[in-house]
Amino acid sequence: LDQMAGASGYDFRLLKSVIEVNSSQRKHFIQRVKNKLGDLNGQTIAVLGLAFKDNTDDIRESAAIDVIQQLVAAGAQVRAFDYQATDAARQVLPDTVFYAEDPYDAARAASAILVVTEWKEFKELDWVKIKSLMQGQLVFDGRNLLKPKTMQELGFDYYSIGRP
């Protein structure tokens, strides 16, 4: 819509404001990770989800792409996984990103896991196994996909976005 408005000479201020808010939310998400981990340089971070939404390989406007670029810029080692969007993400993300074969591979030695795309399959993962593979115990759920009480009972430091 923003591109169409610009092409027709229309200044769609409301839409520009929405885009700006979305961008600031991604920065806020990364800031929360930094607040818990401290310096991201050298930290291994798993990112679950690359597509802009589940059941697609479309990465246009994907929060994950922006989040990963910010993590890499801060010196983090990113281990990424997505069920469909890996090939598309490889075309736009830095070569330093490791693409995992599955979510468990992504979690290996991670200080934190970031859930960025709302794949229902992420709800059904064996989170006990994931915790055993991780170096840390931080989970940042950007989609409010997981149950806070369950994650805390499993021993994770769990942070969701937009809910207590």
Side-chain angles (χ1 to χ4, degrees):
L1 287 175
D2 186 43
Q3 290 175 356
M4 290 184 340
S8 66
Y10 180 71
D11 184 18
F12 200 159
R13 290 181 290 181
L14 176 61
L15 183 58
K16 286 180 181 177
S17 294
V18 169
I19 292 168
E20 186 177 317
V21 167
N22 286 344
S23 177
S24 70
Q25 290 290 40
R26 294 170 185 179
K27 290 176 185 169
H28 177 70
F29 186 68
I30 295 298
Q31 190 57 51
R32 287 189 75 180
V33 175
K34 287 179 181 178
N35 289 346
K36 295 299 175 186
L37 281 177
D39 186 8
L40 297 182
N41 190 36
Q43 297 274 8
T44 299
I45 300 177
V47 176
L48 299 182
L50 296 167
F52 88 98
K53 68 176 190 167
D54 62 333
N55 296 311
T56 184
D57 64 354
D58 191 350
I59 61 166
R60 290 175 296 167
E61 303 302 322
S62 169
I65 301 302
D66 188 31
V67 164
I68 290 172
Q69 289 170 335
Q70 290 182 56
L71 291 170
V72 169
Q77 302 295 315
V78 175
R79 298 177 65 86
F81 173 77
D82 190 277
Y83 291 101
Q84 295 182 24
T86 301
D87 290 339
R90 283 182 203 270
Q91 303 302 312
V92 298
L93 289 173
D95 292 338
T96 59
V97 174
F98 173 81
Y99 297 95
E101 293 182 23
D102 58 45
Y104 304 103
D105 186 28
R108 200 171 312 281
S111 299
I113 292 180
L114 282 56
V115 179
V116 189
T117 305
E118 195 174 348
W119 285 97
K120 68 177 169 76
E121 290 87 343
F122 293 155
K123 281 187 195 180
E124 300 162 1
L125 294 175
D126 180 346
W127 285 94
V128 171
K129 179 178 179 179
I130 286 177
K131 189 166 189 294
S132 74
L133 295 168
M134 293 177 68
Q135 177 181 328
Q137 58 193 26
L138 292 166
V139 174
F140 295 88
D141 185 354
R143 296 297 178 181
N144 296 324
L145 188 65
L146 307 170
K147 294 181 179 172
K149 185 176 179 183
T150 301
M151 296 303 285
Q152 290 165 353
E153 288 172 353
L154 292 174
F156 289 100
D157 289 335
Y158 175 81
Y159 302 93
S160 63
I161 306 303
R163 68 180 179 194

